Amino acid sequence: MSENLHIHRLPVRIYYEDTDFSGVVQHVAYLRFLERGRTEFLRACGIDQSALFAGTAALAFAVRRISVDYRKAAAMDDLLSVETWVVRLGGASIEMGQQILRGAEILVTADVRVAAVAGGRAQRLPVAVAAKLAGPGRPQA
């Protein structure tokens, strides 16, 4: 990962509800943490998903592809950090990198492709959204 990328970090505490009977985080819980990380990344970039969806085009972001590598397990009471960054902007998509860490230890990595969708079809990213995502150290659309 390049040092000049804008990386958003979201702290996540592991609760009992995130674990299985042995106190280890269930694999599906990591997907929720990754989703929260992407949502908070967009919010930190000044992108209001509710406003986009409520607009005339009813634009939403849908996960088109996700590849997850589970390296190590987290457990109850662990404090994790979900890191999210833009890898590449396409006309109607955003490729994002994510990782979940416990301290400096990488537990999960994910490569995600998110599509902008309106009316059930791919839609070009609005210019204002693309500009917010293509800030310093981020690729241009």
Side-chain angles (χ1 to χ4, degrees), residues 1 5-11 33-34 36-45 81-86 96-99 101 138:
M1 171 175 20
L5 290 177
H6 170 74
I7 299 172
H8 180 268
R9 291 176 179 84
L10 174 69
F33 304 154
L34 293 168
R36 291 177 201 164
R38 290 189 304 276
T39 298
E40 293 302 326
F41 174 87
L42 293 173
R43 183 172 283 126
C45 289
S81 177
V82 179
E83 296 186 346
T84 306
W85 61 94
V86 171
M96 303 177 97
Q98 292 188 280
Q99 58 187 14
L101 301 99
R138 289 176 253 170

Side-chain angles (χ1 to χ4, degrees), residues 12-52:
V12 173
R13 176 72 66 185
I14 301 302
Y15 298 104
Y16 179 76
E17 67 186 25
D18 300 317
T19 65
D20 61 16
F21 66 92
S22 67
V24 174
V25 173
Q26 298 172 355
H27 73 280
V28 71
Y30 294 107
L31 295 176
R32 287 192 306 269
F33 304 154
L34 293 168
E35 177 70 30
R36 291 177 201 164
R38 290 189 304 276
T39 298
E40 293 302 326
F41 174 87
L42 293 173
R43 183 172 283 126
C45 289
I47 298 168
D48 182 344
Q49 291 188 84
S50 295
L52 288 174

Side-chain angles (χ1 to χ4, degrees), residues 103-139:
E105 182 179 34
I106 298 173
L107 305 181
V108 174
T109 60
D111 297 313
V112 185
R113 184 179 194 134
V114 178
V117 179
R121 300 182 60 149
Q123 179 76 30
R124 286 194 68 78
L125 290 169
V127 173
V129 170
K132 289 176 181 179
L133 291 170
R138 289 176 253 170

